[in-house]
Every structure is written in structure tokens, then in C-alpha cells.
């Protein structure tokens, strides 16, 4: 089994019901593997060490899978640089805020969180080998459209 860090395998990061259902190959190339290892060593494993169980909702997406799920063509998920996570028993805002305060990252998005419902939404986080922006955003629906606010909103 290929490990990305102490507690995470490549299989967990590349698993996709859509890829399985549609018979899509979701294997990262060498560059994407290297990026994924950095993401897990510098962010995801540290979240796991702090909060305990950490669930990957969406990980690596190869080109065919990204098209199948309607992902952005410039998504960092396609480069092995991003993951969507949740930590059962810990509110998603709290996870995002801890990452913001304690770790290096490129982009941190609290996605579709509903204030007062701690386990709503999820946390998107990305990491690059160099040039991390430490950009924190909250994604929410307004008038049926996804909008991004330039901070974590509780």
C-alpha cells in the first residue's frame, strides 16, 4: 500500500465513487504524487494528529474524473495539491480556523458551512511546494450562485 503520510494512503486520496461507477482511471502521475505527499505531510497529517480521525471527502481528480464531476479546469485537486476534509466530532469552522492559525497552506476554503450547524459543509485546503498564498475564503450560496467571501465566516 502506497502511503502519503503516517495515517493516509494513496487509495484514500484517489478513491471516487464516480470514477468507480464510470470505470475511470484516477491514478496520479509522478508530479501529482509528489504534490500529494507534500499536502499530506504539511497539512492533512497535522490535522489528523491534532483532531484525530480525518475523513477525505474529495481528493485527487485526474482529468477524466474532473470532467465527470464538473470540476474547475484549474482545480488544485487535479494537481494533487488539494483535498476536502472533515473531522467527525469537530465543527468544520473549528478545523478551518485551526489550519489558518497553525499551518502553511495555499488556499483554505470553508465550503457551504451553515452557522450553528458545526458539521455542515467541509474544509477545502491546498498546499504547493512553493508560493503558498495563505488565502482564506468562505464559499456560500447567495441567490442560487456560489460566492466566495475573503475570510473564514463562522
Amino acid at each position: 500500500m502506497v502511503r502519503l503520510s503516517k495515517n493516509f494512503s494513496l487509495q484514500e486520496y484517489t478513491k471516487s465513487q464516480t470514477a468507480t461507477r464510470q470505470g475511470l482511471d484516477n491514478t496520479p502521475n509522478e508530479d501529482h504524487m509528489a504534490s500529494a505527499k507534500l499536502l499530506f505531510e504539511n497539512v492533512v497529517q497535522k490535522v489528523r494528529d491534532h483532531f484525530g480521525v480525518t475523513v477525505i471527502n474529495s481528493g485527487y481528480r485526474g482529468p477524466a474524473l474532473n470532467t465527470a464531476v464538473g470540476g474547475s479546469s484549474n482545480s488544485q485537486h487535479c494537481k494533487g495539491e488539494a483535498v476536502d476534509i472533515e473531522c467527525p466530532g469537530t465543527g468544520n469552522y473549528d478545523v478551518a480556523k485551526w489550519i489558518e492559525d497553525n499551518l502553511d497552506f495555499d488556499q483554505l476554503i470553508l465550503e457551504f458551512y451553515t452557522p450553528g450547524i458545526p458539521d455542515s459543509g467541509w474544509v477545502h485546503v491546498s498546499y504547493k511546494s512553493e508560493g503558498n498564498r495563505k488565502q482564506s475564503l468562505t464559499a456560500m450560496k447567495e441567490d442560487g450562485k456560489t460566492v466566495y467571501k475573503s475570510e473564514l465566516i463562522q
Side-chain angles (χ1 to χ4, degrees):
M1 177 185 308
V2 176
R3 291 237 157 251
L4 296 175
S5 68
K6 182 175 93 180
N7 294 103
F8 294 95
S9 69
L10 177 62
Q11 180 183 3
E12 288 174 279
Y13 186 51
T14 59
K15 183 179 178 183
S16 163
Q17 292 177 345
T18 301
T20 299
R21 199 169 35 249
Q22 296 187 16
L24 304 174
D25 179 9
N26 197 41
T27 306
N29 67 28
E30 274 186 43
D31 289 343
H32 297 165
M33 275 293 295
S35 295
K37 284 184 177 183
L38 288 172
L39 169 66
F40 278 79
E41 289 167 6
N42 290 286
V43 181
V44 185
Q45 184 63 50
K46 291 179 180 185
V47 170
R48 167 70 167 76
D49 291 344
H50 185 78
F51 291 107
V53 175
T54 302
V55 178
I56 299 170
N57 293 341
S58 180
Y60 178 73
R61 295 197 300 248
L65 177 58
N66 195 56
T67 299
V69 300
S72 167
S73 60
N74 60 356
S75 171
Q76 287 181 287
H77 285 275
C78 300
K79 300 173 185 174
E81 295 175 344
V83 66
D84 296 344
I85 58 172
E86 292 185 74
C87 298
T90 303
N92 287 318
Y93 174 85
D94 296 331
V95 173
K97 186 66 177 151
W98 186 84
I99 293 169
E100 182 180 56
D101 292 345
N102 294 283
L103 302 178
D104 189 23
F105 59 90
D106 184 48
Q107 199 172 53
L108 175 65
I109 309 173
L110 182 58
E111 298 204 54
F112 308 108
Y113 174 77
T114 302
I117 306 175
D119 65 351
S120 62
W122 60 88
V123 176
H124 167 98
V125 63
S126 64
Y127 182 91
K128 298 191 301 189
S129 60
E130 55 187 46
N132 284 311
R133 298 171 283 177
K134 287 203 76 146
Q135 179 184 41
S136 296
L137 302 167
T138 298
M140 57 182 61
K141 289 283 187 190
E142 286 184 358
D143 300 323
K145 293 187 187 326
T146 301
V147 296
Y148 294 88
K149 307 286 184 170
S150 61
E151 62 186 326
L152 298 179
I153 299 172
Q154 189 170 16

